[in-house]
Amino acid sequence: AACHIGVNIIRAGMSLQQQMRQGTQGRQGQCTQHQAHVQRRVAVVVAASSDGHRLHTALSQAPAMHSAGPGLAPCSAPTQQRPARRSAVLVRASASAPWKKKNSRLVLEDGSVWTGVGFGAPGTEVGEVVFNTSMSGYQEIMTDPSYKGQFVSFTVPHVGNVGINTEDMESDKVHLGAIIVRDLSISTSNYRSSISLDEYCKKQGVMGISDIDTRALTKALRDTGCLVGVLTTDASKTDAELVTMAKAWTIVGKDLLSVVSCKEPYEWRQGTTPEWEFAPHLKAAAGSAPFHVVAYDFGIKLNILRRLASFGCRITVVPATWPASEVLKLNPDGVFFSNGPGDPSAAPYAVENAKAILGKKPVFGICMGHQILGQAFGGKTFKLKFGHHGGNHPIRAPGGRIEISAQNHNFAVAPATLPAGVEVSHVNLNDGTCAGTIWEEKRAMTIQYHPESSPGPHDADVCFEPFVEWMRAARAVHAMV
């Protein structure tokens, strides 16, 4: 309403100032009463402008004031002057606000309440709140099974501008509990986009909240550590009730591997498509006989499967609980342990399977696979304060090489608990935590981060090479026997 009143003031003022210029042009000092009269009209209009109706009335009364204003003699300006133009425009304020009202709450276990605008599906969800520092790739993050049980707050402020496409999924659905953004894009602009982020969340039944101060939220999580939160659009629930819900839930001790894993084995042979292949030399180096890899699906990302295939592997994907004896019956060239969500110490069956395979076949683990194999080596895991989530984490690799990596994990392997013979090969340069191990005697390698780089930089793609070389060497030895 204030904007509309301002428009009326400007228009009225311009009209009256025009009269002043016309009535005094060439006659400065001859008609001071006329000048004073016009100035008084402007003052009356401005005083009346707090209400659209009063402004319209004031403008309608202006001609009478011109002929004989209170206490003023009629103006003696020459009659040949062009008469002043009068106009009145009444612009009424909109019945509703032009912005969306805040209708959603994120309540954390520390009692803090963050109000915002809900999008996607309505309802109430509980999960661990983490922040992700990636500048792009929200679609890949949302469909990463490793985020099961978590809410992801994006530190990049503008999310949703490229929509959602059918090609960049990391699984067949969204696994995280909710997404938190500063600003949800009101438009979508990308040649591959088929649906908006809001529409996609609605179809997937995933909650979202925007207009949250994600910078302040990130600082709070860095200071206190990851917090459990409840996101709701239900106005009937009190803040106290939501805090109680948050305090009653924890991700520690939860086995989520079997929740997100496939239910039956399946085969995978599709590598990275030529359009997106950033290492075209791999196909020529792979040879005609692909390596057979059995991959444990703890929540495996599709781009890991694509990268293994690009390195010359055909993959048999098996459920998280698949017995090691059944894996060994397939006589694979190597065994892969994938990424996944939850607490690694809550999946002892996975650790026992890894122990049974260790030393019999070359093995490679990524993210959760790194933590499962770390326990199989004899080590222990612990929970990080706020985890590593993003596409810009620096890693010191063997030989002093520095890699910029994509990461997503809340737990880590404690190096001091690893047995002799296991080398900490990769170190996170942000906090010094273990980011990778090698046990040469057992032909075992683990990486805490995501060398498949989806989303993220391609620096760590070389991490697949030692695993492939071990399989190639084992095949050569077998051929000589």
Side-chain angles (χ1 to χ4, degrees):
C3 294
H4 298 150
I5 291 169
V7 170
N8 286 326
I9 292 173
I10 292 170
R11 288 175 174 169
M14 291 175 63
S15 176
L16 296 174
Q17 288 172 2
Q18 183 182 23
Q19 293 182 41
M20 183 183 290
R21 288 195 301 270
Q22 292 174 347
T24 60
Q25 187 175 7
R27 300 181 289 102
Q28 292 185 359
Q30 297 179 12
C31 191
T32 57
Q33 285 184 327
H34 182 84
Q35 292 177 343
H37 172 60
V38 175
Q39 290 171 344
R40 183 170 181 176
R41 288 178 64 206
V42 174
V44 170
V45 171
V46 171
S49 63
S50 62
D51 178 81
H53 176 70
R54 291 176 59 198
L55 176 59
H56 185 270
T57 302
L59 290 172
S60 299
Q61 294 173 349
M65 293 169 59
H66 177 262
S67 60
L72 293 176
C75 180
S76 59
T79 57
Q80 68 271 20
Q81 293 292 329
R82 181 180 178 182
R85 181 182 178 184
R86 301 192 306 272
S87 65
V89 179
L90 180 61
V91 182
R92 296 192 182 278
S94 174
S96 60
W99 56 85
K100 293 183 178 180
K101 293 183 179 180
K102 293 191 173 183
N103 59 354
S104 185
R105 287 172 294 161
L106 172 66
V107 179
L108 303 182
E109 61 179 304
D110 65 355
S112 60
V113 179
W114 308 72
T115 58
V117 178
F119 66 93
T124 301
E125 290 287 343
V126 61
E128 183 181 52
V129 183
V130 300
F131 61 88
N132 188 295
T133 58
S134 292
M135 297 297 289
S136 62
Y138 59 82
Q139 176 175 333
E140 293 92 325
I141 292 167
M142 290 175 61
T143 54
D144 180 352
S146 297
Y147 280 111
K148 179 71 175 177
Q150 295 179 322
F151 297 171
V152 177
S153 175
F154 291 94
T155 58
V156 62
H158 196 56
V159 178
N161 53 315
V162 296
I164 299 290
N165 65 74
T166 59
E167 302 168 11
D168 292 344
M169 304 294 183
E170 285 302 319
S171 66
D172 60 355
K173 65 178 182 179
V174 175
H175 290 273
L176 51 73
I179 62 172
I180 304 165
V181 302
R182 176 65 184 89
D183 178 63
L184 177 67
S185 178
I186 60 175
S187 63
T188 295
S189 179
N190 186 272
Y191 73 101
R192 296 194 300 151
S193 176
S194 59
I195 190 174
S196 72
L197 177 57
D198 181 31
E199 292 172 318
Y200 180 66
C201 287
K202 284 184 171 70
K203 286 190 173 183
Q204 291 283 315
V206 175
M207 297 186 68
I209 184 171
S210 65
D211 292 70
I212 288 284
D213 186 348
T214 50
R215 176 179 291 184
L217 178 59
T218 298
K219 292 174 69 176
L221 296 176
R222 281 184 60 88
D223 290 342
T224 62
C226 292
L227 294 170
V228 175
V230 178
L231 180 61
T232 187
T233 56
D234 186 352
S236 68
K237 296 183 182 294
T238 67
D239 293 343
E241 289 175 328
L242 299 177
V243 170
T244 301
M245 286 179 61
K247 288 182 176 180
W249 193 91
T250 179
I251 202 169
V252 176
K254 278 189 168 50
D255 169 29
L256 298 177
L257 308 189
S258 57
V259 176
V260 300
S261 179
C262 63
K263 304 308 178 186
E264 296 293 336
Y266 64 91
E267 298 291 318
W268 183 279
R269 291 175 179 266
Q270 180 184 344
T272 304
T273 58
E275 181 184 5
W276 303 108
E277 179 57 71
F278 49 85
H281 65 282
L282 294 177
K283 187 174 182 180
S288 57
F291 299 108
H292 182 206
V293 173
V294 172
Y296 270 101
D297 178 12
F298 300 146
I300 196 166
K301 294 173 66 179
L302 294 182
N303 211 47
I304 290 178
L305 296 175
R306 296 188 193 105
R307 295 315 296 156
L308 284 170
S310 292
F311 273 90
C313 303
R314 67 175 180 90
I315 305 102
T316 300
V317 184
V318 298
T321 57
W322 204 252
S325 58
E326 295 300 313
V327 170
L328 293 174
K329 284 180 183 179
L330 297 174
N331 193 29
D333 294 298
V335 179
F336 176 78
F337 296 83
S338 82
N339 60 292
D343 185 347
S345 66
Y349 58 87
V351 176
E352 292 305 313
N353 283 331
K355 286 181 179 179
I357 295 170
L358 194 61
K360 297 181 175 67
K361 298 288 181 179
V363 297
F364 182 31
I366 288 177
C367 200
M368 175 60 73
H370 159 84
Q371 297 162 11
I372 294 296
L373 283 170
Q375 294 177 87
F377 294 166
K380 296 184 181 300
T381 59
F382 66 97
K383 195 173 189 298
L384 296 167
K385 182 178 181 181
F386 48 80
H388 301 155
H389 312 276
N392 51 6
H393 291 250
I395 298 294
R396 186 177 68 243
R401 181 175 183 267
I402 303 300
E403 297 173 352
I404 302 301
S405 67
Q407 303 206 10
N408 173 28
H409 61 102
N410 266 15
F411 293 82
V413 173
T417 64
L418 294 171
V422 178
E423 173 192 356
V424 176
S425 55
H426 298 70
V427 176
N428 188 305
L429 293 179
N430 283 339
D431 58 10
T433 54
C434 173
T437 63
I438 293 179
W439 196 349
E440 287 282 356
E441 181 185 350
K442 302 290 186 180
R443 295 176 297 172
M445 178 180 178
T446 71
I447 293 294
Q448 178 62 88
Y449 47 99
H450 286 268
E452 83 284 354
S453 62
S454 185
H458 300 157
D459 299 27
D461 194 58
V462 296
C463 292
F464 289 97
E465 293 179 2
F467 179 51
V468 173
E469 290 304 316
W470 277 332
M471 291 190 293
R472 180 175 285 113
R475 179 177 286 185
V477 171
H478 182 72
M480 292 187 298
V481 175

